[in-house]
Amino acid sequence: MRGIILAGGSGTRLRPLTSVHSKQLLPVYDKPMIYYPLSVLMHTGIREILLISGPEHVDTYRSLLGDGSRLGIHLRYAVQEEPRGIAEALVLGGSFTRGEPVCLILGDNIFYGHRLPELLRREAGHLDGCTLFGYPVSDPERYGVATVDDTGTIVGLTEKPARPASNLAVTGLYMYDGTATERAAALAPSDRGELEITDLNLGYVREGRARLVNLGRGSAWFDTGTHDSLLEAAMFVQVLEKRQGIRISCLEEIAYRMGYVDKERLALLGKELSASSGYGRYVMELAAT
């Protein structure tokens, strides 16, 4: 399975923070926002990853993350000239995915859960069609909402319904089989001129090949598209890290735990980050244990 991170969009709801910066480069407590979706893909066992962003920001991502070799992964980059819908990411990534299954994640979505990596690897292992990930919310009318049968098969999918049939919001994490790129390319643009991810998902729903995994209790999900949600996510990360003495979405630690780098390489990564940085000290101390 290959991974795609869509870090495009103009971030208008976060201006003036995003007047000159890409939204997904904003800090979420102690690290750039982009670290969080990248960590999800790495936890899933994905090492071939494409990052898509606007033409004015893609070089900044390349400067921050490089080609991924320091983390034992392979990072490539592509440009989305204008925001033309989430599903366009699959079209832009067509030559990258080459007909393989793909996990697409939005660059402003943050996921956390102790058993989440195990869950993601399991779902990737028996993907058949399309797997979406739902999260119960108190205001489902703001999101795409899924209804499922007793087996978890999606039987209904509605974007921002006035009267939601369930409280399961569809998050910005999607797993697709090897036909997703071809399906996305065949979509007709919506009235707002975008390739809608819901239209792509509905194709799988009509075939009875769309599942929803309810992240539910024990997990956290943040869509950091507003000032309030950005602050809430940062506070969540701060509290958890301070109380437990861990670092959420520490890419260097994940690379080590997943066997992508060895302890010697981990120590070098910590030194690169600087001992004067709390993040860097954490990596160095991990390498010393």
Side-chain angles (χ1 to χ4, degrees), residues 9-250:
S10 53
T12 54
R13 291 183 296 170
L14 285 171
R15 288 183 181 173
L17 292 176
T18 53
S19 295
V20 294
H21 291 289
S22 170
K23 172 174 61 175
Q24 294 84 2
L25 288 170
L26 294 175
V28 179
Y29 186 50
D30 58 351
K31 61 191 73 70
M33 186 188 298
I34 196 65
Y35 273 41
Y36 296 88
L38 179 54
S39 73
V40 170
L41 297 183
M42 291 175 64
H43 269 309
T44 307
I46 297 173
R47 301 178 73 172
E48 298 284 344
I49 298 169
L50 177 70
L51 192 152
I52 301 174
S53 188
E56 70 274 33
H57 299 306
V58 70
D59 285 340
T60 307
Y61 285 104
R62 189 179 282 112
S63 296
L64 174 67
L65 300 169
D67 63 2
S69 58
R70 62 185 293 274
L71 298 170
I73 62 175
H74 304 282
L75 274 172
R76 302 181 195 178
Y77 300 86
V79 171
Q80 186 181 43
E81 295 292 344
E82 296 178 10
R84 298 192 183 95
I86 296 172
E88 190 190 32
L90 294 165
V91 179
L92 294 172
S95 60
F96 167 75
T97 57
R98 296 183 299 183
E100 293 184 29
V102 60
C103 181
L104 169 64
I105 187 169
L106 303 187
D108 60 358
N109 273 223
I110 295 176
F111 297 86
Y112 177 77
H114 178 64
R115 297 184 178 179
L116 183 61
E118 178 184 349
L119 170 67
L120 295 175
R121 290 193 289 270
R122 184 175 69 244
E123 291 301 325
H126 64 242
L127 174 67
D128 179 19
C130 161
T131 298
L132 308 182
F133 295 84
Y135 194 82
V137 296
S138 60
D139 51 353
E141 64 277 359
R142 294 181 52 231
Y143 304 94
V145 173
T147 52
V148 300
D149 63 16
D150 293 339
T151 67
T153 300
I154 299 174
V155 296
L157 195 59
T158 310
E159 189 68 25
K160 297 181 180 178
R163 297 180 179 178
S166 81
N167 70 336
L168 281 177
V170 177
T171 68
L173 177 62
Y174 319 86
M175 290 183 180
Y176 297 107
D177 65 11
T179 69
T181 293
E182 180 181 347
R183 291 169 181 258
L187 292 175
S190 65
D191 292 341
R192 57 179 183 168
E194 297 189 0
L195 300 183
E196 305 289 351
I197 198 71
T198 299
D199 291 341
L200 173 66
N201 295 337
L202 282 171
Y204 286 98
V205 171
R206 286 190 288 268
E207 296 172 8
R209 299 178 61 236
R211 295 181 61 250
L212 184 124
V213 176
N214 185 351
L215 297 176
R217 293 185 177 183
S219 298
W221 168 59
F222 297 91
D223 177 356
T224 55
T226 68
H227 294 98
D228 285 344
S229 59
L230 183 62
L231 178 60
E232 289 167 1
M235 293 175 66
F236 174 84
V237 174
Q238 181 201 38
V239 169
L240 205 59
E241 290 191 350
K242 282 184 173 293
R243 289 187 177 179
Q244 297 189 4
I246 61 173
R247 295 274 170 171
I248 295 174
S249 298
C250 175

